[in-house]
Amino acid sequence: MSMEYTELQVTSNFSFLRGGSHPAELVEVAVKLGYTAIALTDRNSVAGVVRAHQAAKDAGIRFIPACRLDLIDGPSLLAYPTDITAWGRLCALLTKGNLRAEKGKCELYKNDVFEHAEGIKFIVIPPDELNTWFDFDDAFKQDLKEYQIALGSDLYIAATRSYHGDDAKRFYRLSQLRIPMVATNDVHYHEPERRELQDVVTCVREKCTINNAGFRLHTNAERHLKPIEEMERLFQQYPDALAHSREIAEACQFSLDTLKYLEPEWVSPDGRTADEHLASHTWAGAKKMFDDGEFEKVREQIQFELDFFKRRKLAPYFLRIYEYTQKAEELGILHQGRGSAANCAVCFCLGITPVNPAKSNLLFSRFMSDSREEWPDVDVDFEHERREEIIQWIYETYGREHAAIVATVTQERHKGAIRDVGKVMGISVDTINRLSGAIRDFSEDDFDRECIVSQGLNPDDPLLKKVLQLTEELMGFPRQLGQHTGGFVITQCKLSDLCPVMNARMENRTQLEWNKDDLEDLGILKVDVLALGMLTCIRKAFDLVKQHYGEELTLANVPQDDPAVYEMICHADTLGVFQIESRAQMSMLPRLKPREFYDLVIEVAIVRPGPIQGDMVHPYLRRRDGIDKVEYPSEELKKILKRTLGVPLFQEQAMEIAMVAANFTAAEADQLRRSMATFKAKGLVSNFRDKLVAGMMGKGYTEDFAKRIFKQLEGFGSYGFPESHATSFAHLVYISSWLKWYYPDVFAAALLNSQPMGFYQPAQIVIDAERHGVVVRPADVNHSMWDNTLEEKDGKYCAVRLGFRQVNGLRKDDMQALIAGRETGYTSISQLSNAGVPQAAIEKLSDADAFRSLKLDRREALWEVPALNDKPIGLFAGQPSESAMEAQATLPLMTQAEHVVQDYAATGLSLKAHPVSFVREKLNLLNVDTTSRLVQLKDGGLVKVAGLVTVRQRPGTAKGILFITIEDETGFANLVAFETVFDKYRKEILQSRLLMVEGKLQVEGEVIHVIAHRFFNLSTLLRGLTAAQNEDMPVLTLSRTDETTSAVTSAKEVFHKGRNFK
Amino acid sequence: MPKRFMSIWFRHLTTDWLTLKQPELKDVPFVFAIKDHGRMLITATNRVAEVHGVKAGMVAADAKAIIVGLQVIDEQPGRAAKLLNALGEWCIRYTPIIAIDLPDGLMLDVSGCTHLWGGEREYLKTIVLKLRSKGYDARAAMADSIGAAWAIARFGRVSPIVESYGQATALLPLPPVALRLEPVITERLQKLGLRTIGSFIRMPRSVLRRRFGEHLLLRLNQALGNEDEPMQLLQPVEPYQERLPCMEPINTATGIEIAIRRLLESICKRLQQDGKGLRTGVLKCYRVDGKVEQVQIGTNRASHHLEHLFKLFELKIATIEPALGIELFVLDAPKVEDADPVQERLWGEVGGLDDTGVAELLDRIAGKINTNVIHRYLPDEHYWPERSVRKAATIMEKPTTTWRISRPRPTQLLARPEPVKVTSLVPDYPPMLFIYQDKVHHIKKADGPERIEREWWLENGERRDYYHVEDTDGKRYWIFRLGAYVAGETNQWFIHGFFA
């Protein structure tokens, strides 16, 4: 009779740095070996069970979710919950252990286990070695007695053939203990070959190398899954041990699938159902939001959606989002929803999203339908500075037992994996660095022979080969559980009935052990509470508008479709505006010429790696400009592609094409998208490619088109940008543009107050504001607040007063003391000191030249500051200090140029002048044009421009091309350097603060580029801005001519180095 | 007459040194870097890299972006100090008073030395040129004060030699950093526009003190020579070497014995004073005919025990060929170690390896037969039996791990397992009998298997299944089967050891 065997002791790589295989790999081999069930017992964690569960479900075998409990005061136990309540108890037990320890640890005691033991089968793990009497120690036997009393007939003991030479003796001793023996293999990897990797992760864990790991490794490679016949042979003398494994497996009929039914019921305050509540909120909202004409138009849509939600039992989910967005409303925190379900009419009526579905012609069914088993996805963005309030409100309102953040599983990536393996294998740090240098920044490709050779390494060296092989195996291993950026699971039942809860790294946060894919697989809904810097900026802007212009603005009431705003956008005058401020976006704007809202949606989505890699951008532009004819590959695709002129630009479109044109099921299409995001599932991706291309060609599409679609999907996988998100973002693009157009003063101040954010330095924001006619005033001890503020009208707009936050190194509380002590205004520096402003802060203020209202320039102020120290005290208090009597020292006068340099050093910007203006004369001698002259020049002409480097960018999508932006006193110039030029002038490009370029002008409508031919480092000109140093000193006779004296802080170092590519 | 000081500045101290060691680096840009908050921070650059604008303090990744192919080498802390020490010792030929001036210089008190080289200019030139020809990019300057010499060596542009009492004038055009000030102070001076020493040197002292602190005044006074500055003098180490010239050539064994004893007496005395002991001793005998006879002894633990060392040499005397006679004996102790002073007191009372008597006995046996005959073994953390023990390098070496007793190991392990023929039943079962050296052993009792895998990072090959067996004579053996059992195939069996 063939016996059945179930492997019950399995450690996967979710026991971080212990297991050597993925849960799915283990399940796969179990299936191959003919197992009908398998358990997973990671250490004090169930983080890996969902993946194993899913894999087992796909393969059609049974999975037993379980856990190994490592206790502080007793031998370890394997725990197998038999039903859903026992599972809840196990999760509660782990939660208890997690919450009393710091993140990543779990502290459990025997008594905790006993309290939660009901319905759980246990296997106790005996010690590895027998004592000198060939027996188990008395202490262990004592513990066993205790376990026996507490756990009774649910307790078994593990018997493992570990081939340590004393297996027979061990088994004999185990059989004497009068506890039923269970055969296990203490599996750590799915196949014996993984022993090597398991040894490596052991070394990483123990922080040693493979050569000095010694006895910390296992003696042999026996800890893999074994065929059932082999198990029968190994346990010939103890057939009961095998039978018991089956006994436990049979007892544990609990499946993770049943957890779905725990999905919360919405507790109604008044007895009406969730659906009724949702409907009443929605209709009430609809009355408010729509005028009568519109209302008739959307009535049907709303009813359709409500019915849909009712069918899918989604009302509680939307009500929950409604609850916390209402809370944000109450607290005055700006928020905006996005995601596949967020752009529906119901969400608009509930105030979750301000995008009016009646206008944006977004079809709900495009995002959700009955045929697709997809879960709704609503992400809500909040102001980044105030999101924590909402998070804490959620914790408070629902309780920590009912709300927690979703986990993210941090994986070993190329660089980390090579570092870990390299260290363990004892290769030098230098070689490791060179190896990881051989990996391209932007790809997660396999190791490239050529790259390795180019680093001077021999890819055929056996050690190196081994390292690379192990690295590839290690890649994708989970390394730790982090918290998701904002995904929450909120349940009515205790969360710990579903999944263990643990402390997150951040204070006051608790999180789950499962990530979003795990939850999705189990059908547990999450909501996203995200942070968005631009919302902070917009809220601050709204506040300023209200304060200075008396207008009450909200995300919903900003006037839409203003042609003036679109005109500004068309001219790429969008510095600081949400999303469309990057160099790439800005150069797209004059070509795309957005005139209506949907154009902005496209603009947001088009300049993304997905469409760029898929080569979709140019065809779209050409069709839009009427150069190419709009045509569709087929009639069925016309429906999908019509709104983007036949060119797929959005993630949804690519997925729909896969479904319509290649007969993918919705689930497959979704799986495809997800597998792209996790680079590890390599084999899977190429399967999908073949399927997609074959499917499309089968339906008569060209191979080229099919491959392009796949390529785009690939891009979307990692940087996905769906239409539903683009729509919400486009709304913020419009609002920030509107603010910038009508209130440039407000916009600049709000933007500065929300830094760090976006692409630009404060200096550029200020310069941009000045160009738009805003007066910007310097920080001053008598006028500034911590934030940048608006003062009375000066010209068309209010003047912006820079705040102390722009001054480097100042602390907020010091400045609060300064403001509190200001009264009628400071007249001397010592008053600041009396007000409790520390001397260091006063020195920083003088560096920033903030004493002008006291008629002191920075140098005079700085001279005064140290003298504050000898304030007469005690008997002499109130007497003039000694320094007041000393003869006035004469300090060298500062030139304007010097002041500008110091302004930059202290605040990163200067209102006095642009640094380049001081060297303009010299630049004129070199025939250098100002950047503002470029517009008057002809396409193809040779030009020379020079300026401070503000941005250097090398996007992964444009191979080898470097984009540089320089700035002079008249404006910006955009430079393009091709790889050969970059290689040749690498030093100049990277080192220059003041960069001069010689090249060809390329004018495409309003988009002007300088295609660089040669670069020159003119930074030395800047050095001349500070009084020349040591210039009157002849050269030391014995010294070489080319030497420099050691550097004193020179002017060129205070300028921002420019944003660098990484 | 004031004192005279010379400051030497090595502009690329550590990188020059590496170039000397590896001449192929001469035209290659390279830097030393040290890990700092997860980045590699450059600590020193060579000339080639410096020309490209790479400076100490930059992040290595940035520098690499500037220079393609820049070599980043790990900095070893303390190397600069070591190098300066060596360079300082070399400079002792020019003056006995030398101090190391970290991080990259030397300070020489040259008062009264320079005329021996034909004046200050010649003196300075000689040293600098010698250093440069050695490969060190050095600059030097001379002045009445340490501070002034330091400043001129690094920042001076006029003449490297400041005339006596001329330092005040020479300092005027130099930047404030030349005064060796803290960065905060130089920064503040810079901001105030005080860019040369001359711009503030005449300000009232009280004003300067109030604004820049006592330190500035101290440095100023030191540079001007108004305040003394202590020097941490370099102490050269004298080698443990003793010489014994003979009035008449020695050609008898007794004579040699006496000579050795004399030399040992003085060397042992010195060693004892310094708390050191000899590990290697070399006796060189210079013969009248110009040939040199040499004998060498070694000890297992550092010793300055005269009688013991003498005995070791005594064994070698026979090998010395005096020929016409020896006129000079030189005893060198090239390898010395710290010796535990306690050992003298506890003489003969400790047992085991701590007993110096054991070590001395071993020294003598080794002296008589050969050093390679006596071995000491220590346990090593390897499962693979051949690697589970290793030879100890010294008698004093402490085991890094304990001898494991949890798994049976034979008292005698064969250096190389020897094949045996077996008759066995099934996998995982010990054989019924094995034939070793033509003798049939019937197995009565057996235990196992203990499965040991190869250490995959060291070698490839098959695993072993070890059995611990007892034959009918009651003798016990350690045998193993190589490789996994595959039905239908026979495995090779080996014997690997004998139990007591």
Side-chain angles (χ1 to χ4, degrees), chain B residues 134-336:
Chain B
K134 268 168 158 270
Y136 285 102
D137 184 7
R139 277 183 56 145
M142 217 180 275
D144 283 356
S145 70
I146 291 176
W150 192 95
I152 301 293
R154 284 159 180 81
F155 298 94
R157 291 211 166 178
V158 189
S159 159
I161 292 169
V162 178
E163 296 304 318
S164 263
Y165 306 111
Q167 57 269 27
T169 329
L171 287 171
L172 292 183
L174 301 191
V177 272
L179 288 177
R180 295 173 291 170
L181 299 172
E182 290 149 26
V184 200
I185 304 292
T186 37
E187 204 180 298
R188 189 177 293 164
L189 286 164
Q190 165 86 9
K191 281 190 215 156
L192 286 167
L194 305 172
R195 294 213 169 73
T196 58
I197 296 172
S199 59
F200 59 84
I201 201 166
R202 286 187 201 88
M203 285 188 187
R205 296 285 145 126
S206 62
V207 170
L208 288 178
R209 180 181 296 118
R210 194 166 295 127
R211 287 185 166 82
F212 308 104
E214 199 61 58
H215 190 68
L216 174 83
L217 291 184
L218 175 74
R219 285 307 199 190
L220 204 53
N221 283 333
Q222 283 176 345
L224 292 171
N226 300 338
E227 196 145 341
D228 273 342
E229 196 173 337
M231 275 171 86
Q232 278 275 343
L233 293 191
L234 190 71
Q235 300 276 5
V237 270
E238 278 182 60
Y240 289 101
Q241 189 192 56
E242 295 294 331
R243 298 158 65 89
L244 184 71
C246 308
M247 301 287 275
E248 272 177 37
I250 305 257
N251 52 11
T252 62
T254 333
I256 296 174
E257 261 175 44
I258 293 169
I260 293 175
R261 201 171 267 282
R262 282 239 195 109
L263 288 167
L264 278 174
E265 266 166 19
S266 42
I267 215 165
C268 283
K269 204 170 155 202
R270 270 185 62 200
L271 284 168
Q272 197 171 3
Q273 277 166 358
D274 298 349
K276 303 271 187 202
L278 174 149
R279 283 296 310 276
T280 317
V282 179
L283 177 72
K284 284 184 184 156
C285 312
Y286 292 81
R287 290 193 337 207
V288 201
D289 58 4
K291 293 222 170 98
V292 183
E293 288 283 304
Q294 180 172 332
V295 290
Q296 183 169 345
I297 58 152
T299 62
N300 276 305
R301 63 189 293 166
S303 167
H304 47 69
H305 184 211
L306 177 87
E307 285 307 317
H308 174 59
L309 296 176
F310 179 72
K311 268 186 196 141
L312 297 180
F313 272 116
E314 201 180 17
L315 297 167
K316 308 271 182 184
I317 288 177
T319 66
I320 299 174
E321 189 63 61
L324 289 174
I326 297 163
E327 51 180 5
L328 172 68
F329 291 92
V330 177
L331 179 61
D332 250 318
K335 189 175 173 192
V336 295

Side-chain angles (χ1 to χ4, degrees), chain A residues 634-654:
Chain A
S634 71
E635 200 51 36
E636 57 184 1
L637 290 185
K638 185 173 176 180
K639 263 200 298 200
I640 303 169
L641 296 174
K642 190 159 187 300
R643 62 190 188 282
T644 53
L645 308 179
V647 181
L649 294 176
F650 299 112
Q651 194 176 25
E652 290 94 339
Q653 290 176 315

Side-chain angles (χ1 to χ4, degrees), chain A residues 129 132 161 163-165 169 195-196 199-200 210-211 213-222 233-234 236 425 429-430 466 470 843 847 859 862-864 866-867 870 882-883 886 889-892 898 902 986-987 990-991 1026-1027 1029-1030 1033-1040 1042-1049 1053 1057, chain B residues 11 47 51-55 58 62 64-68 72 74 121 124-125 132 137 139-140 152-160 173-175 177 188 190-196 203 207 210-212 380-383 401 404-407 427-429 447-458 463 465:
Chain A
E129 278 172 6
T132 40
R161 283 291 296 261
Y163 283 88
H164 284 176
K169 294 194 198 83
R195 160 188 174 237
E196 298 181 358
D199 283 349
V200 167
I210 194 79
N211 290 306
F215 300 142
R216 285 172 281 198
L217 305 177
H218 296 309
T219 323
N220 52 43
E222 292 306 305
R233 191 180 69 76
L234 294 177
Q236 242 165 13
M425 296 300 289
V429 180
D430 190 51
K466 184 57 93 182
L470 289 167
E843 208 170 314
D847 284 346
R859 196 166 275 176
L862 189 61
W863 186 250
E864 296 287 325
D870 38 43
E882 231 182 293
S883 32
E886 72 193 18
T890 45
L891 295 169
E898 264 183 288
Q902 293 293 321
R986 173 183 279 269
K987 202 170 91 185
L990 294 177
Q991 280 189 316
T1026 52
Q1029 300 148 12
N1030 313 332
M1033 279 184 289
V1035 174
L1036 196 68
T1037 43
L1038 266 173
S1039 63
R1040 294 178 184 167
D1042 56 351
E1043 65 195 7
T1044 52
T1045 49
S1046 148
V1048 183
T1049 334
E1053 268 154 36
K1057 267 168 54 179
Chain B
R11 296 203 297 173
R47 249 188 110 70
V51 169
H52 284 84
V54 171
K55 274 187 264 174
M58 284 172 87
D62 291 349
K64 272 185 173 168
I66 297 168
I67 308 177
V68 187
V72 180
D74 278 344
R121 188 160 290 271
L124 186 140
K125 209 167 159 182
R132 285 192 182 169
D137 184 7
R139 277 183 56 145
I152 301 293
R154 284 159 180 81
F155 298 94
R157 291 211 166 178
V158 189
S159 159
L174 301 191
V177 272
R188 189 177 293 164
Q190 165 86 9
K191 281 190 215 156
L192 286 167
L194 305 172
R195 294 213 169 73
T196 58
M203 285 188 187
V207 170
R210 194 166 295 127
R211 287 185 166 82
F212 308 104
D380 206 6
E381 273 203 38
H382 285 279
Y383 291 116
T401 177
R404 290 216 320 166
I405 49 165
S406 59
R407 305 203 185 150
D428 283 358
Y429 271 73
D447 197 6
E450 180 179 347
R451 183 165 290 173
I452 304 180
E453 287 280 346
R454 299 263 174 184
E455 292 167 306
W456 54 269
W457 57 98
L458 295 174
R463 69 186 185 211
D465 277 357

Side-chain angles (χ1 to χ4, degrees), chain A residues 394-431:
Chain A
I394 289 175
Y395 277 135
E396 261 165 49
T397 312
Y398 301 105
R400 273 170 202 276
E401 291 180 332
H402 304 283
I405 295 182
V406 176
T408 45
V409 179
T410 319
Q411 291 181 329
E412 285 268 15
R413 301 239 149 202
H414 244 129
K415 296 212 171 187
I418 188 101
R419 206 152 289 273
D420 281 345
V421 175
K423 243 192 215 163
V424 167
M425 296 300 289
I427 63 175
S428 71
V429 180
D430 190 51
T431 314

Side-chain angles (χ1 to χ4, degrees), chain A residues 360-378:
Chain A
S360 65
N361 73 8
L362 282 173
L363 288 177
F364 176 74
S365 56
R366 204 188 291 157
F367 305 116
M368 299 205 70
S369 72
D370 282 314
S371 63
R372 273 190 266 168
E373 264 288 313
E374 238 174 78
W375 287 97
D377 168 24
V378 178

